[in-house]
């Protein structure tokens, strides 16, 4: 499928979704209109609320805070995840010893950790960053770990026969082999970093997109909740698009 056809289909799916949403909240097909508008805000009302949020300028401060928390969680979590993934893939005995502890840590529900991080780091941005790191770390770690382990043994043997040092093996064999896995994990990590920031803000904060959604939720303002979710969804797409641009530049050598 060509890029133009793919874009056309994607826009068409979005328009169909909007049309269904509009019909169900405008005509009493499924339930009473007042009930529908109470639980599902009409798309036109949501659009007007979003325009109002941007026109008044109130959204920018919240976007900036969520973005800064997400970027910090993404960078720190990715760096630690990649470093541990490479390290343990190259030390299989240490990886075997730590395996049950890694699985135990990964199985912990992150929402349970949010109150603990707030106790440790307060209600500022670092409790949200810490929550985001716990989500990003394991996604990147497992992908990098698997990517390094699947390095072709033939290429490794040839490189060693040519006398490559450990650092040269890392730069010219392991790193290129794991790069596709790294970027595959970074796309998921972007979403997890933002989820960590927003969930942390939802539980306890004085600013951010999660705080806005929580505030609207507490006031039974369905339109505000949907407006916050739409802004959040577009925000995730923009950040993910930036990662795709970086990925294309760094993986240009793969053609």
């Amino acid at each position: 499928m060509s890029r133009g056809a793919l874009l056309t289909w994607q826009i068409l799916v979005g328009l169909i979704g909007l049309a269904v949403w509009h019909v169900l909240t405008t005509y009493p097909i499924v339930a009473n209109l007042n009930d529908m508008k109470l639980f599902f805000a009409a798309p036109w009302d949501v659009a007007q609320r979003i325009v109002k949020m941007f026109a008044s300028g109130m959204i920018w401060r919240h976007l900036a805070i969520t973005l800064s928390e997400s970027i910090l969680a993404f960078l720190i979590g990715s760096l630690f995840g990649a470093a541990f993934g490479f390290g343990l893939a190259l030390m299989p005995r240490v990886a075997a010893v730590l395996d049950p502890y890694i699985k135990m840590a990964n199985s912990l529900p992150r929402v349970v950790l949010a109150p603990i991080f707030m106790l440790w780091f307060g209600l500022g941005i670092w409790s949200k960053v810490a929550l985001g790191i716990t989500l990003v770390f394991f996604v990147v770690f497992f992908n990098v770990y698997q990517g390094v382990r699947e390095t072709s043994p033939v290429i490794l043997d040839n490189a060693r026969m040519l006398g490559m040092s450990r650092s040269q093996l890392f730069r010219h064999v392991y790193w290129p082999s794991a790069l596709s896995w790294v970027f595959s994990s970074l796309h998921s990590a972007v979403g997890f970093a933002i989820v960590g920031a927003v969930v942390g803000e939802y539980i306890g904060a004085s600013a951010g997109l999660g705080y806005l959604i929580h505030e609207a939720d507490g006031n039974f303002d369905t339109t505000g909740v949907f407006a916050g979710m739409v802004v959040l969804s577009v925000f995730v797409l923009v950040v993910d698009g930036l990662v795709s641009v970086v990925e294309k530049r760094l993986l240009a050598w793969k053609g």
Side-chain angles (χ1 to χ4, degrees):
M1 186 183 292
S2 68
R3 188 176 179 80
L6 177 63
L7 184 62
T8 303
W9 275 106
Q10 288 173 335
I11 293 173
L12 189 61
V13 169
L15 290 176
I16 291 172
L18 277 175
V20 171
W21 184 9
H22 172 72
V23 169
L24 291 178
T25 52
T26 306
Y27 302 99
I29 298 173
V30 179
N32 183 282
L33 274 183
N34 290 330
D35 291 341
M36 286 300 292
K37 287 190 177 179
L38 178 63
F39 296 108
F40 302 95
W44 178 244
D45 293 337
V46 173
Q48 284 183 314
R49 179 67 65 87
I50 292 172
V51 170
K52 187 178 176 183
M53 288 160 73
F54 279 95
S56 66
M58 59 82 72
I59 191 69
W60 297 112
R61 173 171 165 263
H62 298 284
L63 274 175
I65 290 172
T66 302
L67 181 62
S68 59
E69 292 166 352
S70 303
I71 289 175
L72 285 169
F74 176 75
L75 291 178
I76 298 171
S78 299
L79 285 174
F80 276 102
F84 275 85
F86 269 108
L88 291 188
L90 299 178
M91 295 183 289
R93 289 183 181 175
V94 178
V97 171
L98 295 180
D99 181 65
Y101 300 102
I102 293 170
K103 288 176 180 172
M104 284 168 59
N106 186 40
S107 66
L108 286 174
R110 307 302 190 275
V111 177
V112 175
L113 297 174
I116 297 174
F117 288 141
M118 286 178 190
L119 190 65
W120 290 351
F121 303 111
L123 294 176
I125 68 167
W126 287 107
S127 55
K128 288 76 180 173
V129 172
L131 186 61
I133 288 172
T134 62
L135 291 166
V136 171
F137 173 84
F138 288 103
V139 176
V140 178
F141 167 78
F142 285 118
N143 275 277
V144 172
Y145 181 72
Q146 193 64 30
V148 175
R149 281 168 58 90
E150 291 197 0
T151 302
S152 168
V154 176
I155 296 175
L156 267 177
D157 291 340
N158 288 335
R160 286 184 179 124
M161 284 174 63
L162 291 171
M164 279 192 177
S165 64
R166 199 171 180 82
S167 62
Q168 287 173 322
L169 282 175
F170 174 80
R171 277 185 293 146
H172 300 296
V173 180
Y174 288 120
W175 178 245
S177 172
L179 205 53
S180 298
W181 291 78
V182 171
F183 275 103
S184 172
S185 67
L186 292 185
H187 282 289
S188 304
V190 167
F192 280 118
I194 295 172
V195 166
V198 171
V199 169
E201 290 167 354
Y202 189 89
I203 292 174
S206 58
L209 289 178
Y211 165 76
L212 280 184
I213 294 172
H214 177 69
E215 189 182 39
D217 199 20
N219 292 325
F220 298 101
D221 179 9
T222 312
T223 305
V225 174
F226 274 75
M229 289 195 296
V230 171
V231 172
L232 180 62
S233 304
V234 175
F235 178 70
V236 172
L237 283 180
V238 170
V239 177
D240 188 64
L242 293 175
V243 174
S244 297
V245 171
V246 175
E247 179 185 15
K248 282 180 183 173
R249 287 183 176 275
L250 289 180
L251 294 182
W253 58 274
K254 295 187 79 172

